Amino acid sequence: MQWLRDMWTREGPGIPKDAPKRTGLALFAEILAREWWEMVKLNILFILASLFVVTLPAAFIAMAGVSVALVEDRNTYLLRDFMDAFLRHFWRATAWGLALAGALAICIQAILTYAAGARENLMFAAPLAIALVGTAFVAVLACHLVVLMVMRDLPVLRLLRLAALASVARPFPALAALGFNAGLWLAHILFYPVSVFMPATFIFSLGMFAVAFGVHRAAVLVLDLPEAMQPHRRFIK
């Protein structure tokens, strides 16, 4: 049974010390090629952890924690790191998951309502455009918030402010990551039933890795800002 335990607990592969540092899509492809098996196992862990539905937000956060470790090329002990993040962030992840799901539901309902109205009256085109932009911003905010949550333990208001700041400063990498996720699911639908095993093998973990990779730089930037430049923080004496 040693081989079975090692499959879940041993360190992931590293990179040669003298290897040239890659950036952008080349770095994304390099990490993916090196860590693909870890992502398959991470996908399985996520599915198992979210079977009860109410554990879905915490499972997402745990998957994000491992994904950030892969982006930062830190040693990962998959099962231990996943469970640590799952238990540590369970209640906060559940609360944020409900809040973000509610916000997205309101935005989507607004889009549907204004889109139906715009078919008959062009006056609804302006609020429809606002609803579309608002929905995109909430989705980008959610991406930054999830990554910031696993990178640093922050008070609720400061976490929200830094996520909003990162979303305004660098929205396009997060939008690209969301587009990548949409492409994965579109491929799953278009190539079904050939793609029937995509959700069970890699689609969730690869999608979360794309989000972590896309927003990581913005998260580091806002966390490294001098305190005077960050949103005001109230100190309790």
Side-chain angles (χ1 to χ4, degrees):
M1 299 297 290
Q2 179 71 26
W3 66 271
L4 184 60
R5 187 184 68 180
D6 289 344
M7 183 179 73
W8 294 97
T9 60
R10 68 184 177 187
E11 296 182 16
I15 59 175
K17 180 177 64 175
D18 300 325
K21 189 174 181 180
R22 299 183 179 180
T23 58
L25 291 177
L27 179 59
F28 181 88
E30 178 185 300
I31 299 174
L32 180 59
R34 186 175 68 244
E35 305 286 1
W36 69 271
W37 181 236
E38 293 298 297
M39 292 186 190
V40 171
K41 293 187 289 184
L42 178 60
N43 201 83
I44 296 172
L45 276 179
F46 168 76
I47 292 172
L48 292 176
S50 58
L51 286 177
F52 293 101
V53 181
V54 294
T55 58
L56 186 60
F60 264 111
I61 293 298
M63 185 167 57
V66 176
S67 297
V68 169
L70 296 179
V71 172
E72 295 177 346
D73 192 36
R74 290 189 274 114
N75 289 337
T76 56
Y77 301 87
L78 186 60
L79 182 59
R80 186 197 68 184
D81 293 348
F82 184 92
M83 292 307 301
D84 284 349
F86 181 89
L87 295 173
R88 185 171 68 253
H89 297 292
F90 183 86
W91 294 112
R92 283 206 306 164
T94 302
W96 277 115
L98 291 173
L100 291 171
L104 285 172
I106 292 172
C107 290
I108 292 172
Q109 182 60 44
I111 290 174
L112 295 176
T113 301
Y114 290 129
R119 293 175 184 173
E120 300 177 358
N121 191 336
L122 288 179
M123 291 184 61
F124 288 97
L128 174 60
I130 295 172
L132 288 169
V133 173
T135 303
F137 181 78
V138 171
V140 169
L141 177 72
C143 293
H144 288 97
L145 192 145
V146 165
V147 172
L148 283 167
M149 189 187 303
V150 298
M151 290 180 67
R152 191 80 56 84
D153 286 329
L154 299 169
V156 172
L157 290 180
R158 190 170 179 224
L159 175 63
L160 184 59
R161 289 168 181 167
L162 289 182
L165 179 62
S167 301
V168 172
R170 287 177 57 86
F172 296 112
L175 288 172
L178 292 171
F180 179 81
N181 274 271
L184 285 177
W185 285 102
L186 181 61
H188 170 59
I189 295 170
L190 291 178
F191 294 103
Y192 189 86
V194 177
S195 60
V196 65
F197 293 108
M198 284 178 64
T201 53
F202 67 85
I203 200 169
F204 296 110
S205 59
L206 181 56
M208 180 56 75
F209 172 71
V211 169
F213 185 88
V215 308
H216 182 263
R217 183 178 176 185
V220 171
L221 285 175
V222 296
L223 288 173
D224 287 345
L225 284 175
E227 191 70 24
M229 296 179 63
Q230 292 188 14
H232 289 293
R233 179 181 178 185
R234 180 176 297 175
F235 293 91
I236 301 177
K237 297 182 179 181

